[in-house]
Amino acid sequence: MSRILAGGLALVLGINALAMLFGSFWWYNAVPGVTATGAYNPHFVRDIGAAFLVAAGGLGWFAWRPVQGWPALAAAAAFLVLHAVIHVFDASCSSNPMSDLIRDLPGVYLPAALAAALAISRRPGA
């Protein structure tokens, strides 16, 4: 089951990463809340897309070879959790924090929580 979950997360995050890399302006306007973070910066969107692509690769590697891919899963989970922490901080500084937290739940917090749970529960030797 953990391999299926990791593979599904890899697929979703990989599609998101490719959209960020190859359709950055479309992505910027399509994802709820992104336009509220500041002016469109194609370089920045692509940089974050590259990080998401690496995270997707780490999750995919774990799905394919769980023992060998666990360190990549841990790195992917670390990025996703740190990204989620930034969103929590930003929400806490906004005029409507609960709305921001709820908006980011499916696309930011859930993937981070799932990847972290996988990394913790599937740690070799655990």
Side-chain angles (χ1 to χ4, degrees):
M1 184 64 178
S2 61
R3 293 173 75 179
I4 293 169
L5 179 58
L9 274 172
L11 180 65
V12 170
L13 294 178
I15 290 168
N16 181 61
L18 293 173
M20 293 175 83
L21 288 166
F22 298 108
S24 62
F25 188 69
W26 172 85
W27 180 91
Y28 174 83
N29 288 298
V31 176
V34 173
T35 57
T37 64
Y40 170 66
N41 181 332
H43 180 94
F44 184 70
V45 173
R46 290 185 192 112
D47 277 349
I48 302 303
F52 270 103
L53 191 60
V54 171
L59 285 153
W61 187 359
F62 174 80
W64 180 49
R65 298 253 200 237
V67 174
Q68 296 87 347
W70 184 85
L73 166 65
F79 163 72
L80 293 170
V81 168
L82 290 171
H83 177 244
V85 168
I86 291 167
H87 277 254
V88 169
F89 175 79
D90 288 349
S92 74
C93 297
S94 77
S95 61
N96 197 349
M98 283 310 293
S99 175
D100 290 354
L101 291 170
I102 292 167
R103 179 199 64 218
D104 292 342
L105 181 64
V108 177
Y109 307 126
L110 185 59
L114 292 172
L118 278 173
I120 291 167
S121 69
R122 296 299 306 227
R123 185 173 45 102

